[in-house]
Amino acid sequence: MISLNAHSIHKEKTFQEHLVSQLVTGEGYLRRVASTNYDRSLAMDKDLVLRFIKETQPNAWERLAQHYASSADATFFKQLERSLKSRGLLDVLRKGIKIVPGIQFTLCNFRPASELEPRRVAEYRANILSVMDEVEYSEKNGNRLDVVLFVNGLPLVTIEAKNLLTGSTFRNAEQQYRKDRAPAGEPLLTFKRGALVHFAIDEDNASMTTRLQNGKTRFLPFNRGRDGGAGNSDIENEHRIAYLYQAGPWGDATFSRAVLLDVIGQFMHLDVTGDKETMIFPRFQQLDAVRKLMAHAKANGAGNNYLIQHSAGSGKSNTIGWLAHHAINLHDALDAQVFHTAIIVTDRVVLDRQLQGTVAQFEQTSGVVKKIDGTSRQLKDAIARGARIIITTIQKFSTDHLKELSGQAGRTFAVIIDEAHSSQSGKSAQAMSDALTRDEGTSDNIEDVIAEYQRARGPQPNISFFAFTATPRNVTLERFGIKGTDGLPHPFHLYSMRQAIEEGFILDVLQNYMTYKAYYQLEKAIEDDPELSGRQGQRKIARYASLHPTAIGQKVEIIVEHFRRHVMHALDGQAKAMIVTQSREHALRYYFGVKKYIDDQGYADLKALVAFSGELEIDGQKWTEAELNGFAETELPGRFDGFKPDGTPYVESYQILIVAEKYQTGFDQPKLCVMYVDRKLAGLQAVQTLSRLNRTMTGKYITQILDFQNTIEDIQNAFRPYFQGAALESMSDPNQVYDLEGRLHRFGYLDKEEIERFAQTYFKRELDGSDRPRLEGLVRAAVARFEADDDEGRQEEFRQLLKSFNRFYAFIAQVMRLEDTDLEKLATYGEWLSRLLPNRQIPPEIGITEDMLRLHAFRVEQKEDGVASLSPTDGEALPGISEFGAKPYTEDERRELSELVKSFNDRHGTNFSEADMLRFEQVNREILDEDLTEMLRNNPPDVVYSAFSQAFFQGAIRMFQRDNEMRNVVLSDPEIRATATRHFFNRALREARSP
């Protein structure tokens, strides 16, 4: 026989009762009875509202009572109701209400940043948290809500709770809100006026929404995550959603006084975009990240590094904004301020407007946020004046204005990095550290000065770095990760790609993956041509075949017909496609091929655009992107989307975008539903390219990829390190810096005495005009020994080892204190030497023509078709830094170089060779430091080209100051100069974006 208790334990009421009792006994909630305490028309507990007002603000209430006598209560609630309707509950809780004659009432007291003011601490503790269950809220019907949470009698949270043992889940609760909880005419459920957030829960899962819209209501997961994916982990002797109502390893409960009032006071905000209003309530990983980061900083102070690996779709801009505002209000256990200033830095040349707007809208006190969208002098002034939150690009720290800044070592900074890359070992990152730690030197001893420089590269006690990225490299993990029990660095906080996919914030781009293989036979018209033998010849033959009209024609047919049959009608006809090609010439030939096929088939409803940088000549004719598309390059994103900035549609619509490098990364177009890949992809480049597809929008549920170059296994291998959370196989061995140092000296080009003399001059406190020639003379002695060596192989090996030493030293010196000034001397000397070394010679181009080869047969066959999605067990650690290599010229770059030389000579009657033109490569090496590399990596080409071209032109003038013929051509021929600049820009772009 089943007892009553055993039977009732399965009822939903049991779970609901457990939730309420935990809030009462564990979190100090006051339990109230809905039938007697809840006012349906006002959606509040009037008795508790008055109790809070009279107990915490007796003088204000006495003034009200004197002025309005017996109608004081009615007047107060009338004005409160009016304010709730016009301003919304969130604003009322934060700012209170006023009643004539100027009587101010506070409805909620938030935790003060410091406990040095006992009165404010007491006010915060006087807030009354209460809970009601079985709340009959409607005057229209008998509808009830399972649980409602209040602060000072005003509703904050409504909850529908389901019991898994009865066969209902949180999904049933969501449907209940959609179908049976219509907000019209219901004060408790009205957007902004009523409860701030609505939770649907069962014992295992939770979701929430801030706006009920009947069938259109969208719930967001509010789960901790489980084994790297969605859901919640087991909790011993408790339900998996116990984090909502009790403290644990996750910290305070979400519904605790500490968390819930913090969310209302410092997290929630109303986002207004056009005529659309959205109430933002933090998702669990956002709230968890900010609170855990601040708890660690509170306990450990400044001087720590934090890596936050949050996937695309995590709401990073909001998390950064919340983190910055919390950081400047953080006090330690002794009530000392932990951070005086929070600086949000980005590698993007154009500041992320969304990030700026997000941070600024959290600002509750005018002037707290300073956006540095002007000059570096503006940045210097903001730091010097002690601005609380600064938003800037990292490049501004490298200017002379910031070199004048000193006296900051006594202040503490929370540096929040918008997108953590290896740029954090670059010159701008070093300049930032210098600016924030610089004090006047105390020693004139050169060895002491050099030691100061070296120490400045490493961790600084007054700076904490909070580095955000979805795809950390190995250097990022080592630089910012926190060591685990295995001795290896890990992210401090993780919201994985897998969890974002499973929770529906991004799409799984590998869910529909189809590969094709191109087969061709090439008949040699010139048998046994030695120039076509070996791997180099094979690559050229393959490129020739891939550009052949027959090859492109067959692929174009597959692409266009697939798009028409399976994709273009999605999203009510708004679906878009991207064709990713291997070079600018491929992009251009694909464009002509697609356009011809569309015209031949009479597909008037289909149009294509092409994106490539600069001017391109094929078949004797020059082309630019703007000429082919019929509008400026800057208009392309909007034209492809189909809508003007003011929201009105363009007359013509475009469905297909053909790209080569440009728009492969950093391009956000949610309407992209399919990608056609005809280039080799690997590593992080593959992840970033294919992730253009993962953006969500209404009606977009699946994505497709057709790949002509890669296998499913190739792509899965690229995604594995980032799917569930980045990890390292092993730490990079810092002793490699000594291996590199020893290998460099063994070439015989370096002289230790010259390096020492260079350092004695370079590290003087004040350099004068005669120092630069002396420094350059010391370096040119090594250049002369390098040039005297006729072994080009040794020269190239030295060149690459020198570059590797400079980069590895810059990285390892940031991770640890090296305390070896000889390394600092070699690194500084090596940077100068790297810029002055002559360029390597490039073999002449091998041209392949129809006379040399004929395409005998070509066909494209489908190979793999299926799901490439990774499984929960998939994962792969990143290797430590152990290999150091070069980036040789590509086939495309050699061909462009040959055309550039010919054009140069034809126009000016000169006899320049490719070797002469390759002297421009020296200019690239001089200007292409870590900072410019990151600018190229993280910005669209058309955005960063202007900065590159200015640096390149200035570098060319310096390079050719003694070569009148070359200098005159560079100065007097803008067209040739632009062509050369574009060529070496593309070269720099490829190197910067290589995996």
Side-chain angles (χ1 to χ4, degrees):
M1 182 175 180
I2 300 175
S3 69
L4 180 61
N5 286 342
H7 178 74
S8 62
I9 200 170
H10 297 291
K11 292 184 178 179
E12 290 180 1
K13 182 74 174 174
T14 306
F15 173 46
Q16 180 179 313
E17 177 61 32
H18 178 69
L19 167 67
V20 172
S21 64
Q22 289 294 310
L23 290 174
V24 172
T25 59
E27 299 299 336
Y29 275 70
L30 180 65
R31 187 163 190 171
R32 304 281 283 173
V33 179
S35 59
T36 56
N37 299 128
Y38 182 72
D39 186 298
R40 298 189 208 181
S41 62
L42 293 178
M44 65 182 70
D45 184 338
K46 292 175 64 177
D47 290 344
L48 278 191
V49 174
L50 286 179
R51 173 178 156 183
F52 171 75
I53 293 295
K54 291 177 180 179
E55 288 181 354
T56 61
Q57 300 150 82
N59 294 336
W61 183 261
E62 185 177 348
R63 286 184 62 200
L64 187 75
Q66 290 174 351
H67 193 82
Y68 290 96
S70 60
S71 64
D73 286 20
T75 300
F76 175 84
F77 283 109
K78 181 178 180 181
Q79 182 58 28
L80 176 57
E81 167 70 357
R82 179 181 295 151
S83 298
L84 289 171
K85 284 183 176 179
S86 61
R87 293 161 46 204
L89 175 59
L90 182 62
D91 195 61
V92 167
L93 289 172
R94 286 178 172 170
K95 299 177 182 177
I97 62 173
K98 272 188 177 182
I99 299 176
V100 174
I103 306 171
Q104 176 75 44
F105 288 101
T106 298
L107 276 301
C108 185
N109 293 309
F110 299 102
R111 181 193 293 273
S114 167
E115 296 193 1
L116 292 176
E117 299 181 68
R119 181 180 64 81
R120 294 195 60 198
V121 174
E123 289 173 347
Y124 166 71
R125 291 173 179 164
N127 288 309
I128 305 169
L129 293 177
S130 62
V131 57
M132 295 182 191
D133 61 344
E134 298 300 324
V135 180
E136 192 170 317
Y137 66 88
S138 178
E139 293 188 289
K140 301 177 182 178
N141 51 52
N143 277 0
R144 295 184 178 191
L145 284 157
D146 290 339
V147 179
V148 180
L149 310 183
F150 299 80
V151 62
N152 305 324
L154 298 175
L156 299 179
V157 184
T158 75
I159 302 171
E160 287 290 356
K162 299 301 174 185
N163 191 324
L164 294 172
L165 294 175
T166 66
S168 60
T169 73
F170 77 103
R171 296 298 188 195
N172 297 102
E174 291 177 352
Q175 282 300 95
Q176 195 168 10
Y177 272 116
R178 292 188 183 103
K179 292 183 177 181
D180 303 326
R181 301 289 180 262
E186 303 290 2
L188 179 62
L189 305 182
T190 299
F191 178 61
K192 293 193 296 185
R193 185 258 177 261
L196 297 175
V197 64
H198 311 279
F199 273 81
I201 66 173
D202 59 30
E203 294 95 331
D204 286 354
N205 292 283
S207 63
M208 56 86 178
T209 186
T210 56
R211 186 168 195 171
L212 298 176
Q213 295 177 289
N214 301 318
K216 295 181 179 179
T217 302
R218 185 190 179 201
F219 280 85
L220 303 180
F222 195 83
N223 292 325
R224 295 169 58 215
R226 179 181 176 87
D227 300 328
N232 285 304
S233 300
D234 292 334
I235 299 174
E236 188 175 359
N237 300 323
E238 253 297 353
H239 300 306
R240 289 178 180 169
I241 52 93
Y243 58 89
L244 292 176
Y245 51 79
Q246 70 176 220
W250 48 84
D252 293 319
T254 303
F255 295 150
S256 68
R257 177 187 303 264
V259 178
L260 193 55
L261 295 188
D262 189 31
V263 168
I264 298 167
Q266 297 194 71
F267 281 89
M268 291 196 74
H269 66 278
L270 186 68
D271 180 69
V272 181
T273 304
D275 57 357
K276 182 181 178 183
E277 292 183 322
T278 306
M279 185 73 75
I280 304 296
F281 188 95
R283 287 149 55 186
F284 182 85
Q285 86 277 355
Q286 296 172 312
L287 181 62
D288 191 54
V290 172
R291 289 186 60 80
K292 284 181 176 175
L293 287 164
M294 291 297 92
H296 191 279
K298 180 183 179 76
N300 297 279
N304 296 283
N305 291 341
Y306 306 90
L307 176 61
I308 302 97
Q309 184 183 351
H310 279 197
S311 167
S314 68
K316 181 184 65 173
S317 292
N318 279 338
T319 307
I320 287 176
W322 288 320
L323 179 61
H325 283 277
H326 277 75
I328 61 171
N329 291 310
L330 185 66
H331 287 69
D332 63 19
L334 300 177
D335 264 314
Q337 193 170 4
V338 177
F339 300 112
H340 296 100
T341 295
I343 302 178
I344 301 172
V345 297
T346 175
D347 282 320
R348 300 183 187 277
V349 176
V350 180
L351 277 178
D352 188 324
R353 300 300 174 190
Q354 180 191 1
L355 178 60
Q356 288 192 65
T358 300
V359 175
Q361 69 187 343
F362 298 145
E363 183 178 13
Q364 296 181 33
T365 303
S366 179
V368 169
V369 180
K370 184 67 175 177
K371 292 173 283 188
I372 310 301
D373 44 16
T375 66
S376 57
R377 185 185 297 276
Q378 185 186 10
L379 173 60
K380 176 197 168 186
D381 291 344
I383 296 173
R385 294 176 183 178
R388 302 304 310 282
I389 296 177
I390 298 171
I391 310 174
T392 182
T393 57
I394 193 169
Q395 287 79 22
K396 283 190 169 62
F397 282 97
S398 294
T399 63
D400 289 337
H401 289 309
L402 271 296
K403 292 178 183 177
E404 303 167 3
L405 186 67
S406 65
Q408 301 302 309
R411 302 180 65 235
T412 53
F413 298 89
V415 176
I416 304 171
I417 303 168
D418 176 25
E419 189 59 47
H421 290 302
S422 56
S423 68
Q424 295 308 313
S425 62
K427 289 183 179 178
S428 289
Q430 182 60 46
M432 177 174 63
S433 181
D434 290 344
L436 302 183
T437 60
R438 189 182 298 119
D439 270 337
E440 294 300 327
T442 57
S443 173
D444 291 326
N445 182 282
I446 291 296
E447 284 298 314
D448 291 341
V449 173
I450 297 172
E452 286 177 26
Y453 269 83
Q454 191 170 51
R455 282 194 294 272
R457 293 180 183 266
Q460 301 300 316
N462 69 323
I463 305 175
S464 284
F465 287 98
F466 300 84
F468 284 77
T469 182
T471 51
R473 296 183 173 93
N474 48 12
V475 293
T476 316
L477 273 167
E478 293 198 45
R479 173 77 172 86
F480 300 110
I482 188 166
K483 282 193 177 180
T485 55
D486 57 2
L488 297 173
H490 299 272
F492 179 88
H493 199 272
L494 172 67
Y495 180 71
S496 68
M497 181 189 299
R498 177 188 162 198
Q499 186 172 351
I501 290 170
E502 291 180 1
E503 291 189 342
F505 290 108
I506 58 173
L507 295 173
D508 178 7
V509 299
L510 305 182
Q511 60 187 306
N512 294 291
Y513 212 102
M514 186 183 300
T515 63
Y516 283 79
K517 188 70 175 178
Y519 297 92
Y520 53 82
Q521 295 177 12
L522 290 165
E523 183 181 15
K524 289 179 65 177
I526 303 175
E527 294 294 333
D528 302 320
D529 188 329
E531 287 191 321
L532 300 180
S533 63
R535 294 182 62 187
Q536 185 184 37
Q538 291 170 9
R539 286 197 299 269
K540 290 186 174 294
I541 292 170
R543 186 175 189 278
Y544 165 83
S546 70
L547 284 167
H548 198 281
T550 302
I552 289 181
Q554 288 194 25
K555 294 175 185 176
V556 163
E557 181 178 357
I558 291 170
I559 290 169
V560 174
E561 294 302 334
H562 175 272
F563 181 75
R564 285 185 59 81
R565 293 170 187 170
H566 303 289
V567 182
M568 73 178 293
H569 300 295
L571 306 182
D572 295 325
Q574 291 290 308
K576 310 291 183 183
M578 179 181 281
I579 302 175
V580 178
T581 68
Q582 58 190 285
S583 72
R584 295 190 305 149
E585 183 176 353
H586 282 86
L588 194 53
R589 292 192 184 276
Y590 254 104
Y591 173 76
F592 291 137
V594 169
K595 194 170 184 300
K596 181 178 185 302
Y597 186 83
I598 288 173
D599 292 341
D600 290 347
Q601 300 300 316
Y603 293 154
D605 55 351
L606 201 58
K607 284 184 170 61
L609 295 172
V610 64
F612 62 90
S613 301
E615 186 178 71
L616 184 60
E617 181 177 347
I618 62 170
D619 301 333
Q621 189 167 355
K622 294 181 179 179
W623 303 93
T624 66
E625 174 189 314
E627 290 170 347
L628 290 165
N629 292 330
F631 47 78
E633 291 183 37
T634 54
E635 292 184 38
L636 189 144
R639 294 274 190 166
F640 186 51
D641 180 67
F643 290 89
K644 300 175 183 177
D646 62 5
T648 58
Y650 283 103
V651 175
E652 287 191 301
S653 61
Y654 300 90
Q655 295 76 29
I656 300 173
L657 176 61
I658 304 161
V659 305
E661 291 290 354
K662 200 173 182 182
Y663 295 113
Q664 267 187 245
T665 59
F667 179 54
D668 191 1
Q669 174 47 264
K671 296 174 187 175
L672 274 178
C673 294
V674 62
M675 187 174 284
Y676 303 98
V677 180
D678 195 14
R679 71 168 296 171
K680 277 289 186 183
L681 295 173
L684 191 54
Q685 182 194 46
V687 177
Q688 293 179 335
T689 298
L690 301 184
S691 292
R692 297 309 96 214
L693 281 175
N694 69 16
R695 304 306 191 264
T696 61
M697 66 175 295
T698 303
K700 180 180 173 183
Y701 306 108
I702 62 171
T703 62
Q704 299 181 61
I705 296 173
L706 272 68
D707 195 325
F708 296 98
Q709 293 273 352
N710 308 281
T711 66
I712 286 179
E713 184 180 6
D714 292 337
I715 299 303
Q716 288 177 324
N717 287 339
F719 272 77
R720 277 194 178 95
Y722 310 105
F723 184 54
Q724 297 196 90
L728 277 181
E729 288 179 347
S730 61
M731 293 285 285
S732 300
D733 181 1
N735 287 301
Q736 290 179 109
V737 74
Y738 289 117
D739 294 338
L740 288 167
E741 180 193 32
R743 289 169 66 185
L744 285 172
H745 279 289
R746 284 197 291 273
F747 283 84
Y749 306 147
L750 302 179
D751 182 281
K752 289 186 178 181
E753 178 59 29
E754 290 171 359
I755 295 172
E756 184 66 33
R757 286 158 56 200
F758 178 93
Q760 294 294 320
T761 300
Y762 181 85
F763 288 102
K764 288 195 311 184
R765 288 292 182 190
E766 297 292 337
L767 295 175
D768 57 44
S770 64
D771 288 325
R772 183 179 177 90
R774 183 182 302 114
L775 292 169
E776 190 169 314
L778 288 167
V779 177
R780 288 202 178 277
V783 173
R785 290 189 288 271
F786 177 90
E787 291 178 318
D789 190 342
D790 58 3
D791 187 336
E792 293 183 4
R794 290 182 77 248
Q795 288 178 323
E796 187 56 30
E797 183 183 0
F798 177 82
R799 191 195 320 273
Q800 297 306 324
L801 280 174
L802 181 60
K803 183 181 291 187
S804 295
F805 171 83
N806 289 338
R807 288 179 174 175
F808 188 70
Y809 173 74
F811 161 68
I812 209 69
Q814 283 194 318
V815 175
M816 61 185 62
R817 293 286 175 90
L818 294 175
E819 299 182 1
D820 184 341
T821 57
D822 285 343
L823 291 175
E824 183 70 26
K825 295 170 187 175
L826 178 57
T828 307
Y829 175 89
E831 288 180 3
W832 280 58
L833 178 58
S834 228
R835 290 195 294 267
L836 294 177
L837 286 178
N839 219 321
R840 63 186 184 274
Q841 300 296 311
I842 300 297
E845 174 72 8
I846 302 172
I848 296 181
T849 66
E850 283 281 2
D851 294 333
M852 299 170 67
L853 291 169
R854 288 196 300 273
L855 191 67
H856 180 65
F858 184 93
R859 70 181 188 278
V860 179
E861 290 183 0
Q862 181 180 331
K863 297 294 290 182
E864 304 165 294
D865 183 7
V867 178
S869 303
L870 299 178
S871 69
T873 58
D874 278 319
E876 185 175 291
L878 294 165
I881 303 170
S882 60
E883 295 183 7
F884 307 96
K887 296 284 188 299
Y889 253 64
T890 66
E891 313 283 342
D892 248 9
E893 288 166 344
R894 290 181 181 177
R895 178 175 176 177
E896 288 174 9
L897 186 66
S898 178
E899 293 171 352
L900 180 59
V901 172
K902 184 177 183 303
S903 178
F904 219 98
N905 291 332
D906 289 349
R907 290 169 68 95
H908 296 280
T910 53
N911 293 305
F912 290 123
S913 66
E914 289 183 17
D916 292 320
M917 193 59 62
L918 278 170
R919 293 164 65 195
F920 279 106
E921 184 81 359
Q922 180 69 29
V923 179
N924 258 23
R925 279 211 305 278
E926 180 178 335
I927 67 173
L928 197 61
D929 57 16
E930 294 288 346
D931 305 320
L932 186 54
T933 298
E934 287 305 313
M935 289 169 61
L936 292 168
R937 181 178 291 134
N938 296 307
N939 292 275
D942 54 326
V943 171
V944 77
Y945 177 73
S946 175
F948 175 90
S949 63
Q950 291 177 31
F952 187 84
F953 178 68
Q954 293 167 2
I957 296 302
R958 289 194 300 270
M959 177 64 61
F960 301 127
Q961 57 186 335
R962 296 185 182 90
D963 186 334
N964 291 332
E965 188 176 27
M966 181 71 85
R967 186 186 64 210
N968 289 340
V969 173
V970 170
L971 288 173
S972 64
D973 193 331
E975 185 177 341
I976 283 292
R977 182 172 69 242
T979 305
T981 302
R982 181 62 70 173
H983 170 81
F984 288 99
F985 170 73
N986 290 330
R987 163 86 172 142
L989 195 67
R990 184 182 71 85
E991 180 162 346
R993 294 185 174 184
S994 294

